[in-house]
Amino acid sequence: MSHSISLTVNGARHDVTLEDARVTLLDLLRERLQMPGTKKGCDRGQCGACTVLVDGRRVNSCLTLAVTVDDSDIVTIEGLAEGDSLHPVQTAFIEHDGFQCGYCTPGQIMSAVGLIAEGHAGDDLERIREGMSGNICRCSAYKGIAEAVQDAARRMAADEERKSA
Amino acid sequence: MPDPIPMPTRFGSSGQPVTRRDGVAKVTGAATFAADNHPNGLLHAVYVPATIARGRVVSMDVAAARAHPGVVEVYTPDNSLKLAGDPDAKPFMFAFRMHVLQTDRIAYANQPIALVVAETIEAANEGARLLAPVYEAETPRVTLDDAEGYKPEAAGFGAAETVHGDVEAGHAAAAKSVDLTYETPSQYHNAMETHAVVAEWDGDRLTLDLPNQAIVMSKAAYGYYFGIPPQNVLIRSPYLGGGFGSKAMSHAPVMLAIAAARAIGRPVKLMLRRDQMFGPVGHRGATRQHIRIGIDGDARMTVLDHHSLSATSTFDDFIEPAANASQGLYDAGALRSSHTGVRLDVGTPGPMRAPGEASGSAVLECAMDEMAEAAGMDPLEFRLKNYAETEPGTGKPYSSKALRECYAQGAEHFGWAGRPLEAGTMRDEAGMLVGWGMGTALFHAPMFAAEARATLRPDGTGLVETGAADMGQGAWTALAQIAADALGLPLDKVEFRAGTSDLPDGGVAGGSGHTATAGGALHSAGMDAIARLAEIATADPASPLHGAGNATIVARDGRLVVEGDEERGEDFATIIARAGGEAVVGTGGASRPPEAGAAHAMYAHGAVFAEVKVDPELYQMRVTRLVGAFAAGRIINPKLAESQLYGGMIWGLSFALHEEARHDRRTGRIVNGDLAGYHVPVNADVTGFDVITVHEDDPYVNALGIKGVGEIGITGTVGAIANAIRHATGTRVRRFPIRIEDLLAGG
């Protein structure tokens, strides 16, 4: 039995027919839509490498069946920058050396974007560390990650203020 | 003794905290890891792992798997994929025996017992599930007491036994001594990127997208196993999603995927599931270490006697060389490091970040504290009392050793002075038990062998090439910085090609020696290119450098100039244009001459200071501060080096408090074989960490004065944390990781 879904990924509409209901959002992105930026680290929702935004909410795409995201708006790491202009979180990760091998980085960054949007952590480092603890980094670039998220949160808040002023 | 190595290069890019050159690729998802590749006609393979640790497979429902829609082929020992090379042979370095379906015998849990190849991942996984293997199980041997010990031929890549001085006399001369037994568990690398391959054949030519820590060298391995010339193998490994020692060698699941691609005639992708990482791809073997230290009446060590019982598999040898960590550091009158192996029904261990040094240093540094305590001395004072001015045992001078400065700067930054000797006396304002501990960090400074090519292009820019590997340590950036300096070019004028096997051999990204080795080769190639260009310029009557003499010419900012008279010079592009517009190519290599290694002992050093807070009722432990001061020769990029050192220290934290693979003794399986059960630190575990890099010039270690920073951060740290817990609670736990229940039980 095939399943037809329609979803938006990074602003582009995709109509997909799945012959297999077992396909996860992660494998849909990586293997069928040829967007391998989102990474598979555990395939069990334990490491966060596959984090994407679904309707603005951060989710583990490996634990999300593709058929459940019909009509959803997905943002992945490939959709964060605007042309050559990096998202503030991306810039901050580079400046603070918030990664080494880079494999968990797409998930870390998507998680950070989600965390900042959620507004729970503000620029409080301890809360940021807690809020980012669903994303494992085996290289252990945690110090740089936490500082990058704090820095980006501050920069984005300042931008917001400037815009609303 | 060799003369100091002259350092003709002016360091420009080197020493600068440049951000990663691969940064944009890594934050945008553009960095391509092996499994991100998707050639046309791609098939997906899943290997089927044994769910017992010892016995044999009686049957599998191959028909059911084959019948599943999308399944293309199922391989089992009955129709196994034949290799040209012998998977049970060990014809070259880093060759480990592999189970590639040549037998129905099972030697460890997660051993491959079948391979399912399908049109989709989903079909392959379902086919694998449908095989439903039936086993004849035997009682597995998975703990250190389950089998008799044996005398190994080697420990890790080093000696199984090393003795300096009269060990028995050292014991006899001791006024006080400690005699201790510690245990360390098996640990698994668990790089975030699981082992993966995309294999594509074109006749007898093989292209592999494969994360690999020894890219050019591995061509020979795959050539051997598949019976093709090494030059027919192209390995692409531009980025590794972490390696930690596990991605230098060939592993059975990857071999099966490559063989299947050849048999079926279509490209095949295989990516290990996280649970499959616990078995066929190496790990840090468990140890039980017996360590004895004796001191005389003046607290000087008369003997340091360290033995490790190290686990290996039933079919191959890798003995965690834990006891060798006691060589090279403290000035003991007699020194012995020895190892016994024990064969268990586990996958073969292998090198995992600081192999031997991590588990050995953990125990050595705890034992040093126990000895200091028995002597009634401050732990730092005791270590300084036994500070080695020359390498213990050999008497060789150190090529450089700024350990005293590490102790001093680390202690000052941490505020070590005033630490009460007595345990269990410090509390914070919330009533938590507070403890301070320290440990010495030590890691050898090796060099392997590498080659490189440097090209000065007609437009005056540079191209440098070597098959180096970046698994996160920052090779893409730091090596380019070294090359830019050698060429006298700003970093942005240098293109760096690495990460593929068709380049000059970049050596092994391991042993903390990659920057020194591949960097040395790039430096040498760059200097060669400049020398060639200088020859052209000085021979050219139209050049202002004509007749200047090669020896006095140096490269600065894209120009050749006369040293000391930098007005007299000419830019690269002009020199090349006048000579006919041909690019100028230099080559070079790097390795350590044996006489250099014989003349000096070469190590990086460090001192780590830890503060822990422990709940007096629940015994929950938190590391609240961790200060590491490291002297590791020339630091090419402080930003990246500090990241490496932080990462190493966090691995130390992980060793001390988190990581352990636990076996079910009935089945032999690892019960916590995933990232939910196998604990590694997360962001919330890491707070209050500080890294200090202590300046160190080393004129002997290599032309660039580099020692390496990739692994040393683990050493010292484990002991520092364990010692801090002892200091906080009064309880000494002699088993890692230290657990709440150990403290509740009082050790």
Side-chain angles (χ1 to χ4, degrees):
Chain A
M1 178 181 164
S2 65
H3 310 265
S4 294
I5 60 170
S6 185
L7 69 169
T8 304
V9 184
N10 301 328
R13 195 83 184 156
H14 294 269
D15 297 313
V16 182
T17 300
L18 296 171
E19 75 288 356
D20 196 324
R22 297 169 298 199
V23 177
T24 62
L25 174 57
L26 175 59
D27 287 330
L28 173 71
L29 292 167
R30 287 182 55 80
E31 303 295 341
R32 293 165 201 249
L33 299 181
Q34 309 281 324
M35 297 169 72
T38 306
K39 295 292 181 271
K40 184 181 284 189
C42 68
D43 220 16
R44 295 290 183 276
Q46 298 167 348
C47 78
C50 67
T51 305
V52 300
L53 301 180
V54 176
D55 297 329
R57 197 167 55 90
R58 43 182 178 154
V59 304
N60 289 323
S61 61
C62 73
L63 286 188
T64 307
L65 288 172
V67 291
T68 68
V69 294
D70 191 16
D71 261 346
S72 297
D73 186 27
I74 316 285
V75 181
T76 74
I77 192 70
E78 290 101 332
L80 218 47
E82 290 177 26
D84 288 340
S85 173
L86 295 179
H87 186 282
V89 172
Q90 292 172 311
T91 305
F93 265 69
I94 295 175
E95 287 177 3
H96 292 270
D97 211 33
F99 52 90
Q100 292 182 30
C101 80
Y103 194 81
C104 72
T105 311
Q108 299 277 1
I109 288 175
M110 296 314 294
S111 193
V113 170
L115 178 71
I116 292 168
E118 287 157 24
H120 301 313
D123 65 358
D124 181 311
L125 261 184
E126 193 173 342
R127 287 179 164 210
I128 289 169
R129 284 190 206 107
E130 285 293 338
M132 292 299 293
S133 283
N135 292 81
I136 295 175
C137 171
R138 185 58 159 159
C139 301
S140 302
Y142 292 126
K143 188 169 185 281
I145 292 168
E147 288 169 1
V149 177
Q150 182 188 47
D151 186 15
R154 284 180 181 164
R155 280 193 244 178
M156 289 166 73
D159 280 351
E160 280 300 312
E161 246 173 60
R162 256 200 310 278
K163 274 181 204 158
S164 58
Chain B
M1 184 180 299
D3 292 331
I5 299 165
M7 288 192 200
T9 309
R10 187 174 71 171
F11 288 86
S13 296
S14 296
Q16 299 303 309
V18 179
T19 57
R20 288 175 197 265
R21 295 185 109 197
D22 48 350
V24 171
K26 284 180 175 173
V27 302
T28 56
T32 305
F33 295 84
D36 297 346
N37 291 285
H38 200 106
N40 286 334
L42 183 67
L43 294 171
H44 296 266
V46 168
Y47 98 80
V48 181
T51 54
I52 62 168
R54 186 184 179 198
R56 56 179 286 269
V57 184
V58 175
S59 65
M60 285 185 274
D61 195 348
V62 175
R66 279 186 198 279
H68 187 73
V71 171
V72 172
E73 189 53 272
V74 178
Y75 298 100
T76 72
D78 290 335
N79 64 331
S80 63
L81 291 151
K82 297 285 181 276
L83 302 181
D86 181 359
D88 292 314
K90 290 164 74 76
F92 43 80
M93 197 185 169
F94 296 152
F96 284 81
R97 295 197 174 93
M98 292 178 285
H99 287 91
V100 286
L101 309 181
Q102 69 270 47
T103 171
D104 62 2
R105 286 289 310 173
I106 292 167
Y108 62 98
N110 278 347
Q111 175 186 320
I113 56 171
L115 186 81
V116 178
V117 187
E119 297 286 349
T120 65
I121 296 177
E122 295 79 20
N125 274 318
E126 185 63 10
R129 193 187 68 80
L130 289 166
L131 281 173
V134 175
Y135 302 101
E136 201 173 85
E138 296 162 32
T139 305
R141 300 153 296 186
V142 289
T143 77
L144 291 167
D145 297 312
D146 289 349
E148 293 294 313
Y150 73 101
K151 198 172 164 55
E153 284 178 12
F157 300 115
E161 181 161 325
T162 305
V163 181
H164 293 294
D166 187 337
V167 173
E168 296 316 321
H171 283 300
K176 282 183 181 160
S177 59
V178 291
D179 182 333
L180 308 163
T181 301
Y182 277 78
E183 290 194 3
T184 68
S186 55
Q187 300 175 342
Y188 285 75
H189 306 74
N190 275 307
M192 293 311 296
E193 176 201 38
T194 62
H195 291 251
V197 65
V198 174
E200 187 166 14
W201 288 89
D202 177 8
D204 66 352
R205 303 189 75 84
L206 172 62
T207 301
L208 299 174
D209 292 301
L210 176 76
N212 195 295
Q213 292 178 234
I215 298 170
V216 177
M217 197 171 90
S218 295
K219 277 197 301 194
Y222 291 101
Y224 165 76
Y225 287 118
F226 292 99
I228 56 175
Q231 62 270 24
N232 284 18
V233 180
L234 174 63
I235 298 170
R236 298 187 293 209
S237 183
Y239 304 103
L240 292 87
F244 312 118
S246 72
K247 288 173 178 166
M249 57 288 288
S250 311
H251 296 295
V254 166
M255 301 300 291
L256 289 172
I258 300 169
R262 189 182 217 178
I264 297 170
R266 287 172 64 181
V268 168
K269 180 189 294 190
L270 178 139
M271 185 171 207
L272 264 60
R273 296 194 316 247
R274 180 58 57 182
D275 60 292
Q276 296 174 335
M277 295 287 280
F278 292 79
V281 292
H283 67 282
R284 192 195 302 286
T287 72
R288 180 181 296 141
Q289 298 177 45
H290 182 207
I291 189 165
R292 289 181 286 168
I293 301 175
I295 55 170
D296 64 16
D298 191 33
R300 297 188 55 87
M301 291 163 70
T302 59
V303 66
L304 171 53
D305 191 0
H306 193 163
H307 174 265
S308 179
L309 177 69
S310 302
T312 189
S313 69
T314 57
F315 55 94
D316 209 347
D317 298 72
F318 188 92
I319 301 298
E320 176 77 359
N324 291 346
S326 281
Q327 298 286 329
L329 184 49
Y330 296 114
D331 187 21
L335 266 174
R336 175 162 60 194
S337 300
S338 59
H339 298 81
T340 301
V342 57
R343 296 198 179 281
L344 303 178
D345 300 308
V346 299
T348 307
M352 175 164 155
R353 199 175 190 176
E357 290 90 354
S359 38
S361 160
V363 171
L364 171 63
E365 292 304 316
C366 285
M368 287 297 285
D369 255 49
E370 296 214 45
M371 191 70 253
E373 199 173 323
M377 286 176 76
D378 174 83
L380 176 53
E381 188 194 342
F382 178 62
R383 284 169 174 84
L384 285 168
K385 186 91 184 174
N386 290 284
Y387 193 91
E389 302 293 351
T390 57
E391 187 182 44
T394 70
K396 279 198 260 181
Y398 291 100
S399 60
S400 63
K401 179 174 180 177
L403 178 55
R404 260 186 229 288
E405 292 76 7
C406 294
Y407 284 140
Q409 291 185 30
E412 169 74 23
H413 187 87
F414 183 85
W416 180 259
R419 172 189 179 274
L421 270 187
E422 201 182 333
T425 59
M426 296 200 295
R427 296 241 177 179
D428 73 358
E429 62 284 358
M432 295 290 154
L433 302 170
V434 179
W436 291 355
M438 58 90 54
T440 308
L442 179 79
F443 202 84
H444 57 108
M447 279 184 80
F448 308 108
E451 293 164 359
R453 185 163 55 227
T455 305
L456 290 166
R457 290 161 159 159
D459 66 358
T461 64
L463 165 67
V464 294
E465 300 166 287
T466 186
D470 195 330
M471 50 188 176
Q473 78 277 38
W476 278 118
T477 310
L479 294 180
Q481 289 177 263
I482 291 169
D485 283 346
L487 291 173
L489 282 167
L491 187 56
D492 62 0
K493 300 284 189 217
V494 176
E495 181 189 346
F496 178 31
R497 290 186 190 151
T500 61
S501 66
D502 53 353
L503 297 171
D505 188 351
V508 181
S512 298
H514 200 37
T515 308
T517 312
L522 286 164
H523 174 79
S524 161
M527 298 297 282
D528 185 45
I530 292 300
R532 287 167 192 270
L533 187 68
E535 257 176 50
I536 294 169
T538 53
D540 181 351
S543 170
L545 294 165
H546 180 246
N550 227 352
T552 64
I553 306 278
V554 291
R556 298 270 187 272
D557 301 324
R559 290 161 50 84
L560 290 187
V561 297
V562 174
E563 188 152 40
D565 178 15
E566 304 203 1
E567 293 301 305
R568 185 178 168 194
E570 195 170 30
D571 65 77
F572 297 169
T574 306
I575 299 167
I576 294 171
R578 209 183 307 104
E582 286 280 313
V584 175
V585 181
T587 57
S591 62
R592 178 172 293 145
E595 60 272 20
H600 287 96
M602 301 177 184
Y603 297 93
H605 296 88
V608 183
F609 296 84
E611 177 184 86
V612 300
K613 293 190 176 179
V614 182
D615 187 301
E617 279 147 14
L618 304 174
Y619 285 105
Q620 190 180 44
M621 294 160 270
R622 297 285 291 180
V623 174
T624 47
R625 289 193 296 135
L626 196 65
V627 174
F630 299 96
R634 182 184 299 281
I635 300 301
I636 297 301
N637 184 321
K639 190 191 260 296
L640 308 191
E642 283 174 19
S643 287
Q644 285 265 80
L645 291 166
Y646 278 118
M649 287 164 66
I650 294 167
W651 273 56
L653 163 70
S654 193
F655 193 121
L657 300 181
H658 293 254
E659 280 184 57
E660 174 179 21
R662 293 196 140 184
H663 290 269
D664 176 346
R665 295 196 64 181
R666 293 165 304 167
T667 64
R669 294 178 75 182
I670 293 168
V671 295
N672 61 338
D674 59 38
L675 290 176
Y678 185 88
H679 291 171
V680 297
V682 295
N683 212 318
D685 294 310
V686 177
T687 179
F689 278 48
D690 279 313
V691 163
I692 299 164
T693 47
V694 173
H695 181 85
E696 191 175 66
D697 290 317
D698 192 321
Y700 300 106
V701 69
N702 51 55
L704 297 167
I706 295 171
K707 287 183 173 176
V709 293
E711 294 165 273
I712 188 171
I714 310 175
T715 70
T717 301
V718 187
I721 292 170
N723 293 334
I725 287 172
R726 156 71 183 170
H727 190 237
T729 63
T731 301
R732 173 61 73 173
V733 180
R734 298 196 182 91
R735 182 183 77 171
F736 291 103
I738 297 170
R739 294 172 180 280
I740 288 171
E741 53 265 38
D742 297 326
L743 294 179
L744 281 169

